[in-house]
Amino acid sequence: MNTILDFLGKITWWQWIIIGIVIIAIRDIFFNKKHIITKNFPVVGHFRYMLESIGPELRQYIVANNREELPFDRIQRGWIYASAKNQNNYEGFGTDRDFYKNNYIFINNAMTPYKMAPNHPNVKDPYFLPCAKVMGLHHKRRRPYRPASVINVSAMSFGSLSARAIASLNKGVKLANAYHNTGEGGISFYHKNGGDLVLQIGTGYFGVRDDEGNFSMEKLIQLVEDTPMLKAIEIKLSQGAKPGKGGVLPASKITQEIAKIRNVPMGKDVISPPYHNAFEGIDEMIDFIEDIAEKTGLPVGIKAAIGKTEQWEELAGKMKKTNRGPDYISIDGGEGGTGAAPPSFADHVAVPWTYGFQKIYKIFKNHDLSNQIVFIGSGKLGFPSQAAMAFSMGADVINVAREAMMSIGCIQAQSCHTNTCPTGIATQNKWLQRGINVDNKAVRTNMYFKNFRKELIEITHACGYEHPCEFTMDDVNVNLSDQDFTKTLADSYGYHKVKVPFEGVRALQKCQYLGGNYKRKDSEKSFEKDEVRY
């Protein structure tokens, strides 16, 4: 044994490298029966797979130009990163955008901007921008809710995202007075850091299901009672990344903690079916919504990506006839992407947000229901200019997912579905998660939301309005060709949004249903005891 150890000790580092290469070559030539490249090109063929594995990173930093990369180009990511760090998010020497590109949007500024009075709320707080509508007020829910921020965290589950990522986002929305949609994975310990919550109920009923996987009203009622920060409930019909297809949480991402929260077994992929078992058809869905609203007192909404519209027509007709149904509707664009999906779904099923939203808004406008519903937009709208367009079309609130992930450090590595996210955001790997400083990332979430709202307010004032809800379809033009030909949104999509009742930002500030922490100064101690400590 000593002789062998002495012999190994005499081998130099470069000789070990040669030995390793020889072993790999032998393996490739004589034992490899799966990969043509490495069998035909032993050793060097492995570099092909290494380069392929870091392809997104190479394109980000070396190959793609500033405006070329998808789904978010370098300039967009840079604006989010700078805003989250509260750094200079301006750009110099003019824009590098192609003004003549099809579908390029132009926001029509006024000759004289809106002038704030000395006592205007935005003079003291330039970030204050609540929703102009109240969820659940029309249907007389017991606990109506006015979101205190027009931009909020969209649905991303604990399980898809890591514990530290969820905690960072929730602490961030508490600071920003925004809300945090839980995604369909249920409410975890990490959601309970004081931020307003919207509980999403998906087809798997995670967090509110019985042992057989069916929806349990008793568990939902208990969850609402145990979670004072829960402000609304969302029933997910479909999502932009994979509309009409169920979800899969791989067994590799399921921990004991996730299994307990979702009430699912360990060691097996968790499947969400593409359809709901708790109801079937429009009538039963309305009954389901009303039953939840009655027993919890909370506003209840639905979320969907848009394709066919016949059932939406049916829903609007029955809502008009019975005065029953969802308090809000969240429209997800087919370009949504936090959920892993087959390319055929991600690329081709469901229409983009602008096309889908205008279809649905027109249906509810034609039934005179527009002001009874809070419309939420979701799908690459996490930039002030895109939000201005969305408000012009009739949106009342913006939900962001990937943009929120970027605010806490996502680098668009596009490995969310592999449990190998290098930033620790979309993985359950404890080693990768350790790099997330929750308190630091919470501040970054807060500053992204605040700087977003500040810039949106500035755009709104530049157009002569006090609040984005006042934008009209004539305030935004869309480029239709390369010959200086543009149309307003009204001309492009064939409708005008319904004027939102609005008495001024001061009235929103005094609303008894206002969410966030604006009216919770006396109850801060009750939140502190529930905070997650790291």
Side-chain angles (χ1 to χ4, degrees):
M1 178 62 71
N2 291 333
T3 304
I4 295 174
L5 293 175
D6 289 340
F7 173 75
L8 294 176
K10 293 178 181 179
I11 299 176
T12 61
W13 63 270
W14 59 268
Q15 289 173 325
W16 278 116
I17 293 175
I18 293 175
I19 291 171
I21 292 173
V22 170
I23 291 173
I24 293 173
I26 292 172
R27 177 260 182 194
D28 289 342
I29 295 171
F30 297 104
F31 300 100
N32 176 20
K33 300 184 182 302
K34 291 184 177 180
H35 301 290
I36 296 173
I37 296 296
T38 52
K39 191 171 185 68
N40 290 346
F41 303 92
V43 181
V44 295
H46 290 278
F47 287 99
R48 184 261 183 195
Y49 297 105
M50 292 171 59
L51 291 172
E52 183 182 47
S53 69
I54 59 172
E57 290 82 358
L58 288 174
R59 289 189 290 274
Q60 279 186 32
Y61 304 116
I62 300 175
V63 180
N65 65 39
N66 285 347
R67 295 293 190 185
E68 185 177 37
E69 196 177 1
L70 293 173
F72 294 91
D73 62 45
R74 188 176 292 120
I75 297 298
Q76 291 174 317
R77 297 198 311 274
W79 182 87
I80 294 173
Y81 296 147
S83 298
K85 296 174 185 177
N86 204 28
Q87 296 175 347
N88 184 350
N89 60 6
Y90 286 25
E91 62 181 41
F93 209 65
T95 182
D96 60 357
R97 290 281 192 184
D98 180 3
F99 271 27
Y100 304 99
K101 183 179 179 180
N102 284 359
N103 294 319
Y104 193 90
I105 65 171
F106 300 92
I107 301 170
N108 298 320
N109 61 296
M111 179 181 288
T112 56
Y114 172 82
K115 184 178 181 180
M116 291 187 290
N119 64 343
H120 192 279
N122 288 137
V123 172
K124 183 178 180 181
D125 183 358
Y127 310 112
F128 180 69
L129 191 59
C131 178
K133 292 179 182 176
V134 179
M135 293 179 178
L137 193 61
H138 174 77
H139 289 132
K140 297 181 174 59
R141 309 303 187 199
R142 295 193 303 277
R143 294 169 56 186
Y145 176 57
R146 184 191 297 276
S149 172
V150 297
I151 175 174
N152 302 278
V153 175
S154 192
M156 294 180 287
S157 302
F158 172 52
S160 297
L161 265 57
S162 68
R164 286 177 174 265
I166 292 292
S168 299
L169 292 173
N170 195 260
K171 282 193 172 187
V173 299
K174 178 186 177 182
L175 295 171
N177 295 293
Y179 69 68
H180 185 181
N181 190 307
T182 66
E184 65 175 319
I187 297 177
S188 70
F189 179 63
Y190 311 101
H191 287 97
K192 298 180 179 181
N193 282 278
D196 286 358
L197 292 176
V198 173
L199 171 67
Q200 185 180 85
I201 299 175
T203 56
Y205 307 117
F206 303 123
V208 291
R209 62 190 255 158
D210 59 23
D211 293 336
E212 284 71 45
N214 299 312
F215 172 74
S216 170
M217 183 65 77
E218 291 74 21
K219 287 196 173 184
L220 175 60
I221 293 171
Q222 188 63 52
L223 187 64
V224 173
E225 292 177 355
D226 294 342
T227 315
M229 304 308 299
L230 187 54
K231 302 299 181 182
I233 294 171
E234 178 175 282
I235 299 167
K236 187 184 83 168
L237 305 178
S238 62
Q239 66 186 82
K242 46 191 173 185
K245 178 176 172 56
V248 178
L249 183 65
S252 61
K253 295 184 77 171
I254 300 173
T255 63
Q256 289 283 358
E257 189 175 28
I258 292 171
K260 182 178 179 181
I261 292 167
R262 296 194 177 204
N263 194 20
V264 297
M266 286 286 294
K268 297 172 62 177
D269 291 346
V270 176
I271 309 296
S272 302
Y275 46 79
H276 279 268
N277 291 316
F279 59 86
E280 186 173 343
I282 301 301
D283 288 324
E284 289 188 11
M285 183 181 76
I286 293 175
D287 291 340
F288 185 64
I289 290 169
E290 291 295 328
D291 193 27
I292 290 176
E294 173 60 29
K295 290 178 179 175
T296 65
L298 297 176
V300 180
I302 56 177
K303 174 183 178 177
I306 306 304
K308 298 178 180 180
T309 58
E310 293 85 353
Q311 289 179 306
W312 289 97
E313 288 278 5
E314 182 183 353
L315 173 62
K318 290 181 176 180
M319 287 178 64
K320 180 65 175 178
K321 183 178 180 180
T322 64
N323 197 30
R324 303 166 74 240
D327 300 295
Y328 68 90
I329 297 175
S330 182
I331 303 300
D332 203 6
E335 65 270 55
T338 56
S344 55
F345 272 81
D347 296 345
H348 299 289
V349 183
V351 298
W353 184 84
T354 50
Y355 303 155
F357 184 86
Q358 59 92 12
K359 287 182 178 182
I360 302 307
Y361 188 90
K362 282 195 286 188
I363 289 173
F364 285 90
K365 178 189 175 184
N366 292 339
H367 286 84
D368 196 27
L369 295 170
S370 297
N371 278 336
Q372 300 176 15
I373 298 168
V374 175
F375 289 98
I376 300 175
S378 178
K380 293 185 72 173
L381 299 175
F383 304 92
S385 57
Q386 296 297 116
M389 177 199 68
F391 275 91
S392 296
M393 295 180 67
D396 302 295
V397 173
I398 301 299
N399 279 0
V400 295
R402 288 170 292 182
E403 298 93 324
M405 291 168 65
M406 289 180 194
S407 76
I408 62 172
C410 169
I411 61 170
Q412 195 170 277
Q414 297 177 289
S415 58
C416 309
H417 59 298
T418 64
N419 202 32
T420 59
C421 171
T423 62
I425 293 172
T427 178
Q428 299 307 310
N429 184 304
K430 298 293 185 182
W431 174 261
L432 294 172
Q433 289 184 48
R434 68 190 176 87
I436 300 177
N437 182 316
V438 173
D439 291 330
N440 173 267
K441 299 305 183 184
V443 171
R444 291 193 180 187
T445 304
N446 172 39
M447 293 316 304
Y448 164 63
F449 282 163
K450 283 189 170 182
N451 283 318
F452 181 104
R453 294 196 303 250
K454 182 175 181 288
E455 195 165 317
L456 179 57
I457 290 170
E458 291 170 347
I459 291 174
T460 303
H461 290 177
C463 294
Y465 301 126
E466 184 182 7
H467 189 281
C469 73
E470 298 177 281
F471 276 115
T472 74
M473 295 284 281
D474 292 324
D475 289 316
V476 176
N477 281 39
V478 180
N479 204 39
L480 300 180
S481 73
D482 59 358
Q483 299 181 14
D484 195 27
F485 177 59
T486 67
K487 277 187 177 182
T488 65
L489 291 174
D491 290 335
S492 298
Y493 295 122
Y495 74 97
H496 284 275
K497 66 175 275 192
V498 176
K499 184 177 180 180
V500 176
F502 175 66
E503 298 177 2
V505 172
R506 176 71 67 185
L508 305 184
Q509 188 181 47
K510 295 179 179 180
C511 176
Q512 62 178 314
Y513 308 121
L514 183 65
N517 295 296
Y518 289 111
K519 296 192 175 185
R520 297 181 186 150
K521 302 303 180 184
D522 297 334
S523 56
E524 280 296 316
K525 293 181 181 179
S526 67
F527 300 139
E528 290 176 1
K529 67 181 181 181
D530 293 329
E531 285 191 356
V532 180
R533 302 295 183 185
Y534 288 92

